[in-house]
Structures are given as C-alpha cells and as structure tokens.
C-alpha cells in the first residue's frame, strides 16, 4: 500500500498554472514548481508527469477556467459586442488582482529555446484556435446581416486577437485595466462601418 497523498492535486495544479503564467514555461524551474506546489519531484512526476506534461495540464486548466469569458462573448447577438466583450474580457483577465498579469499563452511562449519548441507550437496553435473561433462567429454575423460590408471576418478576428496580445504584453509590463480599456476603446473606434 502506497503512502497517502499529502497535497491537494487541484491546489497544486493551480499553483503550477500561476507559476507558468508569471514566469513562462522555460522561466519556471522544477524547483520553482516543487517548492510552490509543496511537493517533491517524485510526487510531481507521479501525479503530473514531466514538466511539459504539467504545463499542458496547467494550460488546459487555464483554458477551462480563465477563458470562460471568451466562450460567453461568442454568444452575444451582435458582432461588435462580441468584439468588445472579447477585448475587455482579456483585459480583465490580464489585470485581475487574484492572478498574474498578462496572459499564459503569451507569457509562456515569448521566449522559448529549441528545447521548448513543442510548448511554443502548442501555445501558437491555441491562439490560432481562439482566433479561428472568433472568425467563425464573425462569419455567422455575415450570414445574419450583422457584419460590415466589404470586411473580412478572418482579418477582423486577427485584428481583435492582435489587440488582445498587445494588451497582454502591456499588462505583463504593469499597465492597469484602465489603461488597457483606453486602448480597447481606441481599437473599437476602428470598427468598420
């Protein structure tokens, strides 16, 4: 009979997610993880796998818990409201007092070496999936007659996501929510007529 687990797996995974979010994938050492999570390396490997597997579990948690606003925004009836809720939802998440500043998907992949190429690729694919979901929602707006004439849903989705990535970098550098909202208000002034 094995020894009983002496840590809460959910709490440990939350801590790992926050460490990766704050320091990036490569910037987070195994020592950071074991000390922060309050577990030994054998427990880390036994319950979460290696660092890459732990990161992917933390990323899944991030997408399930932190990105709820995005899924809700896609349900808005008007395309411009979708865009505004996406932009402000990201800004809110990127500046929340209870979590690290910025975005795990951006912070985790900005500086990756060849050794972390698979993690970087995974993060890039995640951003592409989000952008694609937004483009699909804008395609629906075209069918509903709620989209600016002559505007590409794909290009507008890319624009919105580029703004969110910029606000993530700004938030990670210390910009507060009010400053990000000013950027968002300016970006929305460019909404095609």
């Amino acid at each position: 009979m094995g020894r009983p687990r002496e840590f809460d797996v959910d709490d440990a995974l939350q801590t790992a997610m926050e460490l990766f979010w704050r320091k990036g994938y490569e910037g987070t050492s195994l020592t950071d993880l074991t000390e922060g999570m309050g577990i030994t390396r054998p427990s880390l490997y036994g319950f979460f796998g290696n660092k890459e597997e732990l990161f992917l579990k933390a990323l899944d948690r991030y997408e399930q818990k932190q990105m709820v606003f995005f899924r809700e925004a896609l349900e808005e009836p008007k395309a411009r409201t979708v865009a505004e809720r996406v932009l402000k939802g990201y800004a809110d998440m990127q500046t929340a007092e209870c979590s690290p500043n910025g975005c795990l998907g951006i912070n985790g992949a900005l500086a990756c070496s060849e050794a972390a190429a698979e993690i970087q690729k995974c993060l890039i694919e995640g951003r592409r999936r989000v952008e694609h979901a937004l483009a699909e929602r804008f395609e629906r707006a075209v069918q509903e007659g709620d989209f600016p004439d002559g505007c590409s849903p794909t290009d507008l989705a890319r624009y919105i996501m580029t703004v969110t990535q910029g606000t993530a970098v700004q938030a990670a550098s210390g910009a507060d929510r009010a400053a990000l909202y000013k950027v968002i208000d300016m970006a929305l002034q460019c909404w095609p007529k």
Side-chain angles (χ1 to χ4, degrees), residues 17-19 21-22 93-96 98-103 107:
M17 180 190 76
E18 290 174 7
L19 285 166
W21 190 346
R22 186 174 292 108
M93 178 190 62
Q94 295 161 357
T95 59
C98 60
S99 60
N101 288 342
C103 170
N107 295 355

Side-chain angles (χ1 to χ4, degrees), residues 37-128:
M37 297 164 73
I39 62 175
T40 63
R41 283 189 188 205
S43 291
L44 186 146
Y45 293 126
F47 286 97
F48 302 106
N50 63 23
K51 181 180 172 183
E52 183 174 321
E53 291 170 313
L54 174 58
F55 181 83
L56 294 175
K57 288 176 176 137
L59 182 61
D60 182 61
R61 179 185 186 90
Y62 178 85
E63 290 172 353
Q64 296 304 313
K65 299 215 180 242
Q66 303 300 130
M67 296 294 293
V68 171
F69 75 88
F70 184 82
R71 293 184 293 277
E72 291 172 351
L74 295 181
E75 299 303 317
E76 287 290 336
K78 298 290 184 184
R80 189 179 188 289
T81 308
V82 169
E84 182 175 6
R85 289 222 27 220
V86 165
L87 288 165
K88 289 186 175 177
Y90 270 105
D92 292 345
M93 178 190 62
Q94 295 161 357
T95 59
E97 289 184 20
C98 60
S99 60
N101 288 342
C103 170
L104 175 60
I106 301 297
N107 295 355
L110 274 180
C112 283
S113 68
E114 284 294 315
E118 286 303 310
I119 292 296
Q120 188 175 41
K121 180 180 172 186
C122 176
L123 292 169
I124 290 168
E125 285 302 314
R127 289 196 304 269
R128 285 185 182 145

